[in-house]
Amino acid sequence: MTLFHEVTASEMMTAWPTEPALHQPPDDSSVLSVLNAELINGYLGTGTAPAEQLIVIKDGAALHSRAYTTDGYLDPDKVAKWRGRGYTVQLRNLHRWCPSVHAICSAIQNETGYGCYATGFVTPAGGQGLYHHWDQNMGLIYQMAGRKTWQIWAPGVEEPHNGQFASNTSPGSDLIDRMRSMHPDFEFDLVPGQILVLPRGWMHNPHARGQTEDSVHVTFVVRELTGYWIAGKLAQAALASTPLRRVIPPASVVDPVAFAGQVAGARDLLTQWLADADVNVLAVELLQAARTEPNVDYTSHAPRPRPTDRHQSAR
């Protein structure tokens, strides 16, 4: 399930990309045979995609699911109608229900230790689904049909992570108007067979405006590990310490002075546990967790629709 040439993959393992770049899979990559536009369009044309995993969106506003389902199931005729009207179809969590995509995400996780989820996008010629936003993790955008233009701006916040510094929350939301008024730092017209490496935090405005063919791509979102992840795992492991699991009496919670003492005591217990822990044993356990944790699901940090929009949010 090779996405990159061996040299590129080796470089990424030691120096994780910090700027956008275009790549192309090796000619003998099995990805080319198992993941293509026919597969993605087939789910929509047959109605076999799970309706709850679809978003039908245009210019940042999404339709209610009743607009493209019948009796709770995806309705291919309704989907075709909205695509004909310029709506993008977003297929979320492909790794949960498309075996070939699951295999690619699993291979990425096994090789890097980074969890991975995948989202498909089918955008009609001349259309646009999402507007300016940035994501909290690396995106590997694999273009399979048509062309899509990516306008990209350098990060306006440092190290966005999980819910911190997302583009739809302050201060991120306050930066978007200022950034979008500036000329993009990069602009790519992604063509079939290309992969755009898009590091977290880089604001982007993807669209098929001016194109004559429908665009189909899949984004593999790679959830990089950070010290935040390790710290969370260590805190969970520390709960094996009996003293940290003991109940604090209510009087020692509501009284500020007594509660400060409880906080100090928990800090000291945690510090002592961490000081005594065998880091080599923990490292083996955490590596196993990194490679085997269930694949994470789709999350969105795209701007929320304006309050005046009468459509369902794309989140």
Side-chain angles (χ1 to χ4, degrees), residues 73-228:
Y73 293 95
L74 191 66
D75 187 319
D77 292 334
K78 291 181 178 179
V79 170
K81 176 186 70 174
W82 292 114
R83 289 178 64 178
R85 295 180 180 180
Y87 278 76
T88 289
V89 180
Q90 182 181 10
L91 302 91
R92 300 176 298 174
N93 297 321
L94 279 168
H95 62 287
R96 293 289 189 188
W97 48 275
C98 178
S100 57
V101 173
H102 175 84
I104 296 170
C105 285
S106 294
I108 290 173
Q109 183 174 11
N110 184 65
E111 184 170 357
T112 64
Y114 294 167
C116 176
Y117 67 83
T119 305
F121 291 86
V122 180
T123 300
Q128 180 166 12
L130 295 174
Y131 276 141
H132 301 71
H133 67 282
W134 62 78
D135 299 305
Q136 308 301 88
N137 294 98
M138 170 74 77
L140 308 177
I141 297 103
Y142 176 43
Q143 188 74 17
M144 297 181 293
R147 291 172 176 258
K148 199 158 199 179
T149 299
W150 290 78
Q151 297 175 309
I152 304 172
W153 290 257
V157 297
E158 186 176 6
E159 303 294 352
H161 184 268
N162 287 359
Q164 300 166 321
F165 304 110
S167 59
N168 61 348
T169 61
S170 184
S173 55
D174 303 326
L175 292 172
I176 287 188
D177 285 342
R178 179 175 65 81
M179 292 176 67
R180 67 192 298 178
S181 68
M182 303 164 59
H183 191 272
D185 295 290
F186 294 90
E187 185 163 334
F188 299 108
D189 274 336
L190 215 57
V191 302
Q194 287 185 320
I195 296 174
L196 169 61
V197 172
L198 184 61
R200 60 179 175 159
W202 286 76
M203 188 174 81
H204 46 282
N205 180 45
H207 63 83
R209 301 187 186 280
Q211 304 298 338
T212 58
E213 298 180 21
D214 291 357
S215 165
V216 182
H217 79 264
V218 169
T219 297
F220 295 95
V221 179
V222 185
R223 302 290 293 273
E224 303 107 320
L225 294 191
T226 64
Y228 184 98

Side-chain angles (χ1 to χ4, degrees), residues 219-274:
T219 297
F220 295 95
V221 179
V222 185
R223 302 290 293 273
E224 303 107 320
L225 294 191
T226 64
Y228 184 98
W229 182 86
I230 294 176
K233 292 295 184 184
L234 291 177
Q236 291 175 15
L239 289 177
S241 169
T242 300
L244 281 171
R245 301 200 312 272
R246 290 190 178 126
V247 174
I248 302 172
S252 295
V253 175
V254 297
D255 179 86
V257 175
F259 192 51
Q262 293 289 340
V263 172
R267 177 202 60 196
D268 294 343
L269 286 168
L270 179 60
T271 301
Q272 187 59 52
W273 185 91
L274 291 171

